[in-house]
Amino acid sequence: DVKVTQSSRYLVKRTGEKVFLECVQDMDHENMFWYRQDPGLGLRLIYFSYDVKMKEKGDIPEGYSVSREKKERFSLILESASTNQTSMYLCASTYPGNTEAFFGQGTRLTVV
Amino acid sequence: GENVEQHPSTLSVQEGDSAVIKCTYSDSASNYFPWYKQELGKGPQLIIDIRSNVGEKKDQRIAVTLNKTAKHFSLHITETQPEDSAVYFCAASMNRDDKIIFGKGTRLHILP
């Protein structure tokens, strides 16, 4: 069974903290994505990666960075968390060539 | 970059009736159009997809149509059932970069 696993379901962090969200996939997918989901705004792409050590900015990269040191792992980093980064974060992975995206269950991050 | 618009944001239909959700995209280079269903507490899951060389695709009670000239595509669910209640997202992607851009979602309620 294919799996995308996000390290935490719920996370509460303080303003200014450095936050790491981890995502691991077991399907040997080249592409990995980070989205945030907010009511009324749908899924907005933060960053994606099409290979190890490669990354591309999505539509809302400000305040975020990413790391992909191994093919199976894609980390989202909030350098200095702010309250407007309170959201649901979803990780996804795909093979190249416009194929099905597999999502993790999401991490609900609250920044206080 | 690509922009995907989705309507309506909320849709209520009587059980057994049909539901239609419509999306438009902006970039004529997009050639892959998946639809995802998100149930409460879960990540989105692919339910059907269509590529730009096809005008219509059907899978049991679900069908998707694509009009490349008008740059719009639609999801049709017939004989709706309570388990169809969920949030549905359309998306667009292109071969150039595999980046998946989502619409804002439609919350579908199936009324008993």
Side-chain angles (χ1 to χ4, degrees):
Chain A
D1 200 17
V2 256
K3 229 173 191 174
V4 177
T5 304
Q6 294 183 230
S7 52
S8 306
R9 288 297 302 272
Y10 300 94
L11 216 48
V12 180
K13 295 292 181 180
R14 295 199 179 275
T15 302
E17 273 193 82
K18 190 168 186 175
V19 181
F20 293 85
L21 303 184
E22 306 285 348
C23 175
V24 177
Q25 49 96 3
D26 64 1
M27 296 161 284
D28 203 34
H29 283 166
E30 280 80 0
N31 299 330
M32 295 189 76
F33 306 81
W34 275 106
Y35 292 89
R36 66 176 279 177
Q37 182 175 12
D38 301 287
L41 298 178
L43 300 171
R44 292 182 292 166
L45 181 63
I46 305 171
Y47 268 97
F48 71 104
S49 168
Y50 51 88
D51 203 350
V52 174
K53 298 193 188 294
M54 305 302 287
K55 62 184 179 184
E56 293 275 343
K57 291 181 180 179
D59 296 324
I60 52 163
E62 297 78 20
Y64 303 94
S65 62
V66 289
S67 172
R68 188 141 181 230
E69 295 297 317
K70 292 185 177 181
K71 190 176 186 180
E72 67 269 20
R73 186 179 295 270
F74 192 34
S75 303
L76 180 69
I77 304 155
L78 286 66
E79 295 290 343
S80 178
S82 64
T83 54
N84 62 13
Q85 293 178 309
T86 292
S87 187
M88 171 69 81
Y89 290 87
L90 287 161
C91 174
S93 69
T94 74
Y95 286 118
N98 294 331
T99 60
E100 178 178 1
F102 292 88
F103 282 85
Q105 285 198 291
T107 296
R108 185 166 291 283
L109 173 68
T110 302
V111 183
V112 297
Chain B
E2 176 62 280
N3 182 50
V4 178
E5 299 282 342
Q6 182 172 348
H7 299 280
S9 56
T10 307
L11 179 61
S12 297
V13 300
Q14 290 293 139
E15 183 178 345
D17 287 351
S18 295
V20 180
I21 302 170
K22 298 184 179 183
C23 290
T24 60
Y25 61 99
S26 60
D27 195 330
S28 56
S30 289
N31 59 358
Y32 176 62
F33 307 93
W35 286 88
Y36 288 81
K37 176 183 181 182
Q38 186 179 29
E39 296 175 335
L40 203 60
K42 297 184 178 180
Q45 282 192 295
L46 181 74
I47 54 170
I48 196 167
D49 57 13
I50 191 166
R51 297 184 187 274
S52 59
N53 57 348
V54 175
E56 184 173 356
K57 185 176 177 182
K58 195 172 180 181
D59 182 4
Q60 299 183 337
R61 296 185 298 108
I62 293 173
V64 59
T65 58
L66 171 65
N67 182 328
K68 283 172 57 180
T69 304
K71 293 209 236 33
H72 68 70
F73 56 114
S74 301
L75 177 72
H76 305 252
I77 307 174
T78 58
E79 300 170 16
T80 52
Q81 299 169 5
E83 55 265 35
D84 295 329
S85 292
V87 178
Y88 292 81
F89 292 98
C90 63
S93 183
M94 57 188 82
N95 279 336
R96 185 167 70 215
D97 57 16
D98 283 347
K99 191 165 66 171
I100 310 169
I101 301 301
F102 286 85
K104 291 184 178 178
T106 296
R107 184 171 294 279
L108 176 62
H109 300 276
I110 306 301
L111 306 172

